[in-house]
Amino acid sequence: MIVKTKKYKLETGTYIKQGLKNIFKEQWWVIFIAIAIACGYFWIPSWWWISMALLAYALYWLFWVIQFAGVTQMEQNKVMFEKLSYEIDSRQVLMKINSKQGMPIKWEMIKKAQIKEHAYILVLSKAQFIHLPFKIFHSQNEIKFIETILKRKGLVS
């Protein structure tokens, strides 16, 4: 069975928010580095330790915000934010710009998948993912079929 979706345009705001959520889930431990820097206060009592730890942590997140916002502005990534349709089967996910142009993504390229309240998120890397809201599918059976594929491939628990 091949699931053919409606055309969908990934909004830049959705991309940035989801990208930051993925980074936070993957690199949650960075807060401990900031805490370790702040603990320098106990070695040499000065508020500089705490303020620099907060600044470093804020700059770390600012770096990722700039990275994700920059991706939305780059010419080679404009395709990600155009209206695309998807054809999904047990072999691959085919991202289609039109009936003649498309890009296949093998299931082996997808590191993990998340099932959200209103969408599937297929994570390829830290900054690359496919956002498939349930509204682009034609029926509830298609949504269940995709979930079955994701479970069979071991991408979601």
Side-chain angles (χ1 to χ4, degrees):
M1 178 177 171
I2 296 177
V3 175
K4 294 182 180 184
T5 68
K6 301 172 192 169
K7 284 195 170 250
Y8 170 69
K9 180 182 184 213
L10 176 62
E11 297 298 326
T12 56
T14 304
Y15 173 78
I16 293 169
K17 284 179 201 168
Q18 188 60 47
L20 289 173
K21 285 179 188 176
N22 288 349
I23 290 296
F24 186 74
K25 284 180 184 175
E26 203 171 295
Q27 298 187 350
W28 55 269
W29 50 266
V30 173
I31 187 74
F32 293 116
I33 296 171
I35 291 170
I37 293 169
C39 286
Y41 177 81
F42 300 115
W43 180 49
I44 300 173
S46 172
W47 288 104
W48 280 102
W49 290 105
I50 295 169
S51 61
M52 288 302 116
L54 291 173
L55 179 65
Y57 192 64
L59 288 174
Y60 173 79
W61 284 106
L62 181 63
F63 166 78
W64 283 109
V65 169
I66 291 169
Q67 292 296 309
F68 286 111
V71 165
T72 65
Q73 303 301 316
M74 292 175 61
E75 191 62 39
Q76 62 259 38
N77 293 329
K78 290 290 184 195
V79 173
M80 285 175 50
F81 304 103
E82 290 180 7
K83 278 197 166 231
L84 301 170
S85 62
Y86 298 88
E87 288 184 10
I88 305 166
D89 61 25
S90 60
R91 295 174 295 130
Q92 67 187 6
V93 176
L94 182 62
M95 298 171 62
K96 293 178 71 172
I97 298 169
N98 56 42
S99 61
K100 295 181 182 175
Q101 291 180 302
M103 182 179 108
I105 297 172
K106 299 282 184 200
W107 285 110
E108 293 80 37
M109 295 173 64
I110 298 171
K111 291 183 179 174
K112 65 181 177 180
Q114 302 167 8
I115 302 174
K116 299 290 183 181
E117 189 175 332
H118 300 291
Y120 291 120
I121 311 289
L122 308 178
V123 179
L124 302 167
S125 69
K126 284 182 188 176
Q128 291 181 319
F129 58 87
I130 300 171
H131 183 261
L132 300 170
F134 295 152
K135 67 181 181 182
I136 68 172
F137 297 103
H138 297 287
S139 71
Q140 198 66 27
N141 288 338
E142 290 180 345
I143 294 170
K144 288 183 177 160
F145 178 71
I146 300 298
E147 190 170 337
T148 303
I149 290 174
L150 294 175
K151 286 180 180 175
R152 199 175 298 148
K153 300 284 182 186
L155 296 171
V156 71
S157 50

